[in-house]
Amino acid sequence: GKATVSMFLQEGASCVAADLNYDSVIALQDEFSEYRDKIRPFKVDVSDSHQVEAMVDFAVSELGKMDIIFNNAGIMDGMLHIAELGDDVWDKVMKINTGGVMFACRKAVQYFLQRGEGGVILNTSSMVSISGQPSGVGYPTSKFAVNGMTLSLARELGPSNIRVNGVAPGVTRTDMVAALPENMIKPLIATIPLRRVGEPEDVANAFLFLASDMASYITGEILSVDGAARS
């Protein structure tokens, strides 16, 4: 998310940076100080539809319009075996990873249709939405659902010039992966044909392309950015 915001800013966009951790998006204004006036921090819990709707209203109010919405928030499920997967974990993962995307798409589409100039929806999926994984059924299930939503909305909204695409990242050097010990990283890399972990910029580049006019005839696509690890 942070890398994508950085790239969008460099390309001239103004961004609402939204997160449950408000301090982290406030910090972006200091980190990207040259773009301070183009960043609007917003605190949101994407599992709450009212907060998601308020986020979109805030973007339109603060920036004058909204051309792109990027649905990136998500959580893992602790890699729980299905026999140990409680209703509380299942409900939370689905509400955030799938419900949050739906809430944002719904509100964005209402705005895009009212404005009448089309728009772009970008959804973060995952490598495991394509391949599945040997434990932790909640997370890949939520991302399979995001893929279905992305493909279906692309067909539904195409006539209104609203493009809907997703990116399915593989193992990427986020804070979570960076915190893993070296003896876990090396076996992971060995499973990736490109023999390296993805960088945040690898994923951000894909989102930037799909948001741009270079992808004006691309919709309903789930673009894998995983070094072919899914195979």
Side-chain angles (χ1 to χ4, degrees), residues 3-31:
T4 303
V5 168
S6 175
M7 286 193 176
F8 276 42
L9 290 169
Q10 291 174 52
E11 292 297 321
S14 296
C15 299
V16 169
D19 199 295
L20 185 61
N21 181 353
Y22 188 62
D23 290 341
S24 71
V25 288
I26 286 288
L28 290 181
Q29 290 184 311
D30 293 328
E31 185 171 351

Side-chain angles (χ1 to χ4, degrees), residues 66-114:
M66 183 180 73
D67 300 301
I68 303 160
I69 189 162
F70 171 37
N71 299 311
N72 185 60
I75 61 169
M76 300 290 286
D77 59 4
M79 302 294 286
L80 291 171
H81 190 282
I82 190 168
E84 301 169 349
L85 180 62
D87 290 353
D88 56 340
V89 175
W90 171 264
D91 291 344
K92 185 175 182 180
V93 169
M94 295 302 292
K95 191 68 175 288
I96 292 173
N97 293 5
T98 306
V101 175
M102 192 282 287
F103 299 150
C105 288
R106 181 175 63 190
K107 179 65 175 180
V109 168
Q110 291 169 355
Y111 167 73
F112 288 148
L113 291 177
Q114 182 180 29

Side-chain angles (χ1 to χ4, degrees), residues 9-230:
L9 290 169
Q10 291 174 52
E11 292 297 321
S14 296
C15 299
V16 169
D19 199 295
L20 185 61
N21 181 353
Y22 188 62
D23 290 341
S24 71
V25 288
I26 286 288
L28 290 181
Q29 290 184 311
D30 293 328
E31 185 171 351
F32 304 144
S33 57
E34 61 186 301
Y35 302 109
R36 175 179 291 274
D37 294 340
K38 290 182 171 293
I39 303 172
R40 303 292 193 278
F42 190 83
K43 182 175 182 178
V44 64
D45 176 353
V46 299
S47 69
D48 183 330
S49 63
H50 299 295
Q51 291 188 40
V52 174
E53 290 168 1
M55 175 187 69
V56 174
D57 288 338
F58 175 81
V60 174
S61 174
E62 286 288 309
L63 303 178
K65 64 174 182 174
M66 183 180 73
D67 300 301
I68 303 160
I69 189 162
F70 171 37
N71 299 311
N72 185 60
I75 61 169
M76 300 290 286
D77 59 4
M79 302 294 286
L80 291 171
H81 190 282
I82 190 168
E84 301 169 349
L85 180 62
D87 290 353
D88 56 340
V89 175
W90 171 264
D91 291 344
K92 185 175 182 180
V93 169
M94 295 302 292
K95 191 68 175 288
I96 292 173
N97 293 5
T98 306
V101 175
M102 192 282 287
F103 299 150
C105 288
R106 181 175 63 190
K107 179 65 175 180
V109 168
Q110 291 169 355
Y111 167 73
F112 288 148
L113 291 177
Q114 182 180 29
R115 183 180 172 205
E117 297 180 17
V120 173
I121 296 172
L122 302 172
N123 297 327
T124 299
S125 182
S126 170
M127 171 182 74
V128 299
S129 74
I130 299 167
S131 62
Q133 61 186 21
S135 63
V137 70
Y139 182 75
T141 300
S142 70
K143 294 301 187 176
F144 269 101
V146 169
N147 291 357
M149 194 185 320
T150 300
L151 272 59
S152 296
L153 289 178
R155 301 191 69 177
E156 181 176 353
L157 301 173
S160 299
N161 194 31
I162 299 171
R163 296 191 297 109
V164 190
N165 289 295
V167 171
V171 181
T172 306
R173 202 180 303 278
T174 59
D175 291 342
M176 179 178 65
V177 171
L180 294 174
E182 189 67 21
N183 64 349
M184 290 185 67
I185 292 289
K186 286 185 177 180
L188 276 176
I189 293 175
T191 68
I192 302 170
L194 285 183
R195 294 296 187 265
R196 70 173 178 88
V197 171
E199 299 297 334
E201 291 75 17
D202 293 322
V203 179
N205 277 325
F207 280 118
L208 182 64
F209 166 69
L210 290 172
S212 75
D213 289 341
M214 289 187 292
S216 63
Y217 199 54
I218 299 175
T219 190
E221 180 67 26
I222 309 297
L223 178 59
S224 293
V225 183
D226 61 6
R230 65 197 177 281

